Amino acid sequence: MLNLAATLPTIRHDWSSSEAAAIYHAPFMDLVFRAQTIHRQSFNPNQVQCNQLLNIKTGGCAEDCGYCSQSAHHDTALPASKLMDPAAVIAGAAAAKASGATRYCMGAAWRSPKDRDMGPVIEMVKGVRALGMETCMTLGMLSDDQARQLADAGLDYYNHNIDTSEAYYPSVVQTRSFGDRLDTLQRVHDAGIKVCCGGILGLGEKPTDRVEMLRTLANLPNHPESVPINMLIPIKGTPLADAAPVDPIAFVRTIALARILMPASDVRLAAGRTAMSDEMQALCFLAGANSIFIGEQLLTTPNPGETKDRQLFDRLGIEPRDDHGVPSQA
């Protein structure tokens, strides 16, 4: 029986470090119960939003992100490709819709798009929206004009992760600053595009860094409408190829903290689900995750695929969410 509360939870933007850390380190049962209670105030706990991700331009990126196989700085044997033809991208979106995706996410391995790239990208946005799907792009840093062009084309979401805490960020990326990330988020928001922003666990960070990453997002003037939480898939040839795996309970704690700090945001299980057991994913849903990527491939890493996800949903009594709405935020 669905048990949604009559009122939405309070949206805050003033979380202190000590307050957020105390939530993260609370007894696990108390933490998950609190997160699930808050989750039910905004969302149906038995529905999960399904997205599909396509790499529209692979490799050759000028950034040196230590986790990324697409960086030109790392020897990962991943060949660079040109930007895909818009017609092929739109055809892929149609197939994704037939598989149950309601949002189509398109990513290009760029530090930032060149002006000549904007025409094909805009054609992709318009074509996918014409299918009745939500659109999301991740293209690196944007100028004000590029953000306005994407907004005018009807782009629904723009993904630009902050990856980790501001203090730990220089240990992962040296070619741009944490402030550069925040500047792009502001440009996207000012253009009227919804923000998709989260981070990655398993970069060698401490629990404090996970807390501070989420506190940064929760204390923005507007919470990101989507918050993807990735678990690192170590890739040979990257500086983080030998990174230690993330403790599953610590990962669930991070999901729960995201739900508590940002009650009305979609919290997405993103990369790394192939390394998660069904039980771990179930705990993540219990802790407030309500969005996943479907399909067998993310940008350059594997994903569980339609059959495994359908089996998991059937076991848990979960249905794909068929609406396109995000609860309003204060």
Side-chain angles (χ1 to χ4, degrees):
M1 178 74 67
L2 186 61
N3 183 26
L4 294 176
T7 58
L8 290 175
T10 301
I11 303 296
R12 290 180 50 188
H13 307 273
D14 60 350
W15 298 94
S16 68
S17 295
S18 59
E19 189 177 16
I23 295 171
Y24 178 88
H25 291 291
F28 185 75
M29 302 306 175
D30 293 343
L31 173 64
V32 173
F33 179 80
R34 179 177 178 182
Q36 173 65 195
T37 301
I38 289 173
H39 182 61
R40 287 171 176 263
Q41 294 176 341
S42 293
F43 298 99
N44 183 326
N46 298 312
Q47 292 185 349
V48 169
Q49 190 238 353
C50 296
N51 315 262
Q52 192 149 334
L53 177 61
L54 176 68
N55 205 351
I56 60 173
K57 190 273 175 189
T58 304
C61 182
E63 302 285 11
D64 68 350
C65 306
Y67 51 81
C68 187
S69 63
Q70 302 196 75
S71 171
H73 295 259
H74 312 322
D75 184 15
T76 61
L78 181 72
S81 70
K82 295 181 179 180
L83 183 65
M84 287 181 63
D85 181 80
V89 173
I90 295 164
K97 182 179 181 181
S99 296
T102 58
R103 185 182 305 167
Y104 203 57
C105 305
M106 296 158 276
W110 287 323
R111 175 178 171 83
S112 57
K114 295 180 173 62
D115 289 341
R116 66 170 182 265
D117 301 316
M118 295 304 294
V121 165
I122 287 169
E123 186 176 346
M124 294 174 195
V125 172
K126 291 181 176 179
V128 175
R129 291 194 89 242
L131 298 172
M133 301 182 76
E134 289 182 322
T135 53
C136 181
M137 282 278 181
T138 177
L139 311 171
M141 295 185 289
L142 297 177
S143 67
D144 290 332
D145 182 61
Q146 289 169 339
R148 284 193 295 270
Q149 289 183 59
L150 291 170
D152 290 343
L155 183 67
D156 297 290
Y157 289 83
Y158 193 81
N159 168 259
H160 198 64
N161 293 334
I162 59 172
D163 293 341
T164 188
S165 70
E166 183 172 12
Y168 191 67
Y169 188 85
S171 300
V172 181
V173 184
Q174 288 80 46
T175 51
R176 62 179 164 187
S177 70
F178 193 81
D180 290 333
R181 298 264 182 171
L182 296 180
D183 288 345
T184 293
L185 295 181
Q186 188 62 53
R187 289 189 181 96
V188 168
H189 175 74
D190 289 347
I193 302 170
K194 296 183 180 72
V195 170
C196 175
C197 185
I200 306 171
L201 274 61
L203 304 175
E205 77 284 350
K206 298 177 180 178
T208 300
D209 297 305
R210 298 166 188 168
V211 171
E212 287 303 299
M213 172 187 73
L214 292 176
R215 193 175 75 90
T216 295
L217 297 178
N219 283 353
L220 291 173
N222 298 88
H223 292 170
E225 283 82 359
S226 290
V227 182
I229 306 296
N230 298 270
M231 186 167 74
L232 179 70
I233 300 177
I235 297 172
K236 185 178 180 180
T238 66
L240 290 168
D242 298 320
V246 178
D247 173 65
I249 296 299
F251 190 92
V252 177
R253 284 184 177 278
T254 307
I255 293 289
L257 180 63
R259 172 53 64 220
I260 292 167
L261 298 189
M262 293 169 280
S265 302
D266 280 326
V267 176
R268 180 176 307 131
L269 290 184
R273 287 201 300 123
T274 52
M276 299 180 191
S277 67
D278 284 359
E279 292 78 11
M280 180 179 172
Q281 292 184 72
L283 278 176
C284 288
F285 293 137
L286 187 64
N290 66 328
S291 179
I292 64 169
F293 283 117
I294 62 173
E296 296 184 355
Q297 183 78 14
L298 297 180
L299 290 176
T300 62
T301 54
N303 204 44
E306 182 179 353
T307 299
K308 289 201 68 173
D309 283 337
R310 187 185 304 115
Q311 291 172 346
L312 176 61
F313 279 21
D314 287 346
R315 291 181 69 192
L316 299 178
I318 285 176
E319 298 177 344
R321 196 174 82 197
D322 59 5
D323 64 75
H324 300 285
V326 174
S328 60
Q329 300 188 39

